[in-house]
Amino acid sequence: MGIVAGLDSSSESTRIVVCDTDTGAVLRQGYAPHPAPSPGGSAASPYDVDPQSWLLSLGEAAEGKLLEGVQAIGVSAQGHGLLALDAGGGLVRPALVGNDKRAQSAAADLTEALGGRAAWAHAVGSVPAATQAVAKLRWLARTEPDAARRVAELMQPHDWLVWQLLGRPVRRTTDRGTASGTGYWSAATGSWRPDLIELALGHQVRLPEVIGPAEAAGHTPEGLLISAGTGETMAAAFGLGVGIGDAVISLGASGSVFSVHHEALADPSGTIISYADATGMHLPVVHTLNAVRALRGTAELLSVDLEGLSALALKSTPGSYGLVLLPYLEGERTPHLPHTAGTLTGLRRESMKPEHLARAAFEGMLCGLADALDVLRGRGVAVRRVFLLGPAADLPAVRAVAPALLGAQVVVPQPADYAALGAARQAAWALGAAHGTLSPHQPPLWPAAASQVFEPGDELAVGQAVRQQYVAVREQTHPGAFEAGPGAGQMG
């Protein structure tokens, strides 16, 4: 039918894929890092970013006629940014980006101002965190009151990029996925909460129109269709092709677990964040503070790299000769233990060997993520497959241990620009819907991501025993850490 492009503007770079609309085959690719801030520039901190750098990166990534013949473009961008605009559409200050932690106390104050974690979870499906736009607004009102008073309009990075590509039209748009990360839009009701913006900023502002997954945001002056766009997490899920029954675990220094679900999940504890996805469904997310950082710490202790740690772990046996590592090295978010530390138990003379400690690190990390997965299972989220993302998913020890501990088939996709692919797939959907060749309720059926699949097989019972050992130590060390008790018995 045609050619579409997906661009992903992450925190560090822009990646573009050009795809066939029917098959999803990648025809061309482009990449460019974001330019480094100029010395003596206007940014007051590394978290204050000139969004023009995103456009410069986009232009560089698209060089060499990369977009020649393209009929539609989808945009994915980093989540939790904030662009505060004045009445004329100009920035009142540099953009605030997601990893900015300056709003931590503002987030705590906002939580209390509305009546606690449960009140926020009921209102918008999440509790304010420093990363979220709503907390950044409270920080702005406190620390830069003159700038705050000038704020007349709010956008997220993806909204702003779409607006720029369209030539800054009167109409401003966003999508459900991006809106659900702001802290002032409810995935359950599908509506903005301007009262929460006023609570944070002190006055009302203009907000983008939230459009449907297959709708077009508009056309460029050259006639290219621009689709709704979405946030990076939602685009990556769409690019992977995950659906009901699938969960995705992202193995970074910290971890995240999300799944596609048919409804928003209001969680009074705030453990589950209720996002919307890029297809009209919902994307409940549970975060852990500790994932690969537990492996890196153990590897440094044993004077090996991650590959060496993996090789050591495979010399041990399930259960690590009784060693159990609770990997709460930075405190923990799931369970909510912000001020605790990690714990190593089961030390005996026969267990005090490098290979057993290495295995305990892998088992501890994966059991911590299995706890997060069980939070979702405990709320009725079906999990039949688990996608593992991140470089650590390639470690042989992770692949050997994960299926039995997670209690599900484990899928490790080949490395690809999944957020850009998701943006391209959305562009193909919007193009097809506009031409009447695709239903607005059914996205194009592109092939699933190329991947390796690992089954629990005969190791499932052994994995359950390791989980029970881990849960027993966790409950003994931190009694009642999970109020709902997501124990080992919920696997499968």
Side-chain angles (χ1 to χ4, degrees), residues 457-477:
D458 296 337
E459 297 296 314
L460 183 59
V462 174
Q464 186 155 2
V466 173
R467 282 290 316 279
Q468 289 170 342
Q469 175 180 267
Y470 177 91
V471 169
V473 170
R474 188 196 69 214
E475 283 300 302
Q476 183 177 8
T477 310

Side-chain angles (χ1 to χ4, degrees), residues 28 47 88 128 165 181 214 334 364 389 404 412 489:
R28 300 187 290 272
Y47 306 117
L165 288 173
T334 306
L389 304 183
V412 182

Side-chain angles (χ1 to χ4, degrees), residues 18-198:
V18 176
C19 300
D20 180 274
T21 55
D22 295 326
T23 66
V26 176
L27 307 176
R28 300 187 290 272
Q29 293 177 272
Y31 166 83
H34 294 330
S38 58
S42 61
S45 93
Y47 306 117
D48 295 336
V49 176
D50 181 357
Q52 292 295 328
S53 66
W54 305 338
L55 293 177
L56 292 171
S57 172
L58 194 166
E60 185 179 342
E63 285 180 351
K65 298 184 178 179
L66 185 80
L67 299 178
E68 188 173 17
V70 164
Q71 298 164 273
I73 298 175
V75 177
S76 157
Q78 58 181 301
H80 298 309
L82 179 67
L83 292 97
L85 310 179
D86 61 23
L91 288 166
V92 303
R93 67 175 321 285
L96 292 160
V97 292
N99 59 352
D100 187 350
K101 299 297 194 297
R102 289 177 292 181
Q104 284 181 329
S105 63
D109 289 347
L110 274 178
T111 303
E112 184 177 347
L114 193 66
R117 297 171 67 85
W120 277 95
H122 177 74
V124 290
S126 63
V127 177
T131 54
Q132 284 186 307
V134 70
K136 289 175 168 59
L137 287 176
R138 170 60 72 97
W139 176 86
L140 188 64
R142 280 183 168 179
T143 59
E144 300 178 12
D146 291 340
R149 279 190 288 272
R150 293 170 51 213
V151 177
E153 181 175 1
L154 299 176
M155 289 187 181
Q156 297 281 288
H158 130 246
D159 312 337
W160 188 84
L161 284 167
V162 166
W163 188 50
Q164 298 297 316
L165 288 173
L166 291 173
R168 297 166 62 98
V170 172
R171 184 192 192 207
R172 276 76 147 160
T173 64
T174 189
D175 88 305
R176 298 167 66 254
T178 293
S180 66
T182 61
Y184 43 81
W185 186 86
S186 168
T189 64
S191 58
W192 293 112
R193 289 291 302 265
D195 57 315
L196 300 182
I197 293 174
E198 188 161 358

Side-chain angles (χ1 to χ4, degrees), residues 8-11 13 76-79 178 230-237 418-419:
D8 174 42
S9 180
S10 71
S11 58
S13 64
S76 157
Q78 58 181 301
T178 293
T230 194
E232 237 178 348
T233 298
M234 298 77 187
Y418 288 109

